[in-house]
Amino acid sequence: MNLDLSFYFAIFLRRLHYFIVIFALVTAASVAAALLLPPVFSSSGLLLLEGSQIPAALAAPTVQAAAMEKFQTVENRLMTRTNLIEIARRNNVYENIASMSPDQIADAMRSNTRINKSTGRGEATTMWIEFKGDSAETVAAVAGDYVKFILDYDLASRTASAESTLEFFENEVERLDGELDRMSAKILDFQTNNADALPSTLTFRLGQQTLLQGRLATLENDIATMKDQKARMIAIFQSTGQISNATTAGQTPEAQQLDAMRAQLSDMLAVFAPSNPKVKVLQQKIAQLEEVVKAQLPGDGSGNPAATMLDVQLADLDTRIALAEEQRTKLIDELAVLQDTIDRTPANQVALDALVRDQANVQQQYDAAVARRSQAAAGERIQVLEQGERISLVETPSVPDGPVSPNRTLIVAGGMLAGIGLGLAVIVLLELLNRSVRRPKDLIDQFGITPIVTIPYIRTPSETMRRRSGFAALMLVAIVGIPAIIYAVHIYYQPLDAIFATVAEKLGLSL
């Protein structure tokens, strides 16, 4: 394939005026935009999330949150509509801020603010915040307000969280302390009301019951013995008229001696005669003792001495039996009361165990609350002394030395390149759409004939003048009109930066 460069160069020269006009228009527009676009200043600050300076093993922090979560919370608080409007009005960020609606102010502030958060395993967690505007002092002031808000909010939130945690556990300790007092009073009232049937005294009462049962058995045995003794004494007296020696327990020593002498006399009469001096001496002693015993008997001593003695002994036995029965009744009553307390002890054991268990649960909660209150107090102290996890300022926003945009040289250079490209594209498009015959090769290709000679089109001087006049007019329009139109749009309709921002937003681009 032979490329006829001279032909294409001739076409370019023939269409040069299109190229120059388009190049001039685009270049003029780029120059106007570069000159009219306002300068954009930027001020930024760098924040760092510092870890706690006190090891968690020594004092557990009461303010805990994931690093990115904390920065996201701070960002959401910062970018609230109310806060942005307040900062914008305080710093008079926009010239026409008085005529702007609150929504417009908030949207403009958000579009001029850029926040970037960074974290990773083994890396520090940082937040970079930037604000752009048309005044160096304004952007520095706004960025400073952003940083100050973040630091103040972080301090206030940490302090408030630590204080609220401490206050909660103080209230919890106070509540549990009152609950313990109520539980102790309830247990004391229960023990007081059931002092006779407490589980702690069950062993003692069981032993006391065994002892009383033994005493009752002994007492009943004594009563039975005395009743049997009384019956035997009556039976012996009725059969013999005398009182058995076995019943001398209630006799006086003289009466006992008299009975012994009588028994001795009976034995001596079986051996000796009544006239025996020993028998007579014994009879005299018996007579003397009978007088003494008779004097000891109640009444005038008349009647049967044995009967009188029987009455005395029976009265003594009746008294002893009555006393023993009275003691037995008391023992039975005591055993009944004791048995009742023993029977009530299991139920009291269950109720008391429930009260003690509830008290132990409350005590455990109280001990845990006291320990946590101590931790909360330490955490609150850590926050007050700025020793815990906190957001610190690494790089302070400063007044920029110069604008960061627009790059006027880059805009003009880009416009020139765009003008060249667009001019060439227009020439190529025109040639693609032009199907006329302009060289011998076209005659051969389309008609199949070979021309002897070709004569080019020669313009007259007037045609050349009109062509050059039109080209000069287009150049004048391109050089003067386009910048004038751009300037008018920038001044009377809407600033170019706002138009560019709107277009970029529509296209989904980020400026």
Side-chain angles (χ1 to χ4, degrees), residues 243-279:
I243 303 174
S244 173
N245 290 335
T247 62
T248 61
Q251 297 177 350
T252 62
E254 289 79 5
Q256 294 178 2
Q257 187 178 4
L258 179 60
D259 289 341
M261 290 179 131
R262 284 174 177 172
Q264 185 179 3
L265 178 61
S266 178
D267 293 339
M268 290 180 68
L269 288 175
V271 178
F272 300 103
S275 59
N276 190 288
K278 294 183 178 180
V279 173

Side-chain angles (χ1 to χ4, degrees), residues 433-491:
L433 296 176
N434 188 2
R435 298 297 181 180
S436 60
V437 176
R438 290 170 293 176
R439 55 179 174 170
K441 183 177 181 299
D442 296 334
L443 291 174
I444 297 173
D445 293 338
Q446 294 185 17
F447 299 103
I449 59 176
T450 302
I452 299 173
V453 64
T454 59
I455 302 173
Y457 179 80
I458 301 174
R459 293 185 179 92
T460 64
S462 59
E463 290 177 341
T464 303
M465 181 59 67
R466 287 195 300 270
R467 182 181 179 85
R468 291 179 179 177
S469 299
F471 178 74
L474 289 176
M475 289 294 295
L476 183 63
V477 170
I479 297 174
V480 178
I482 296 301
I485 294 173
I486 295 175
Y487 178 79
V489 170
H490 178 76
I491 297 299

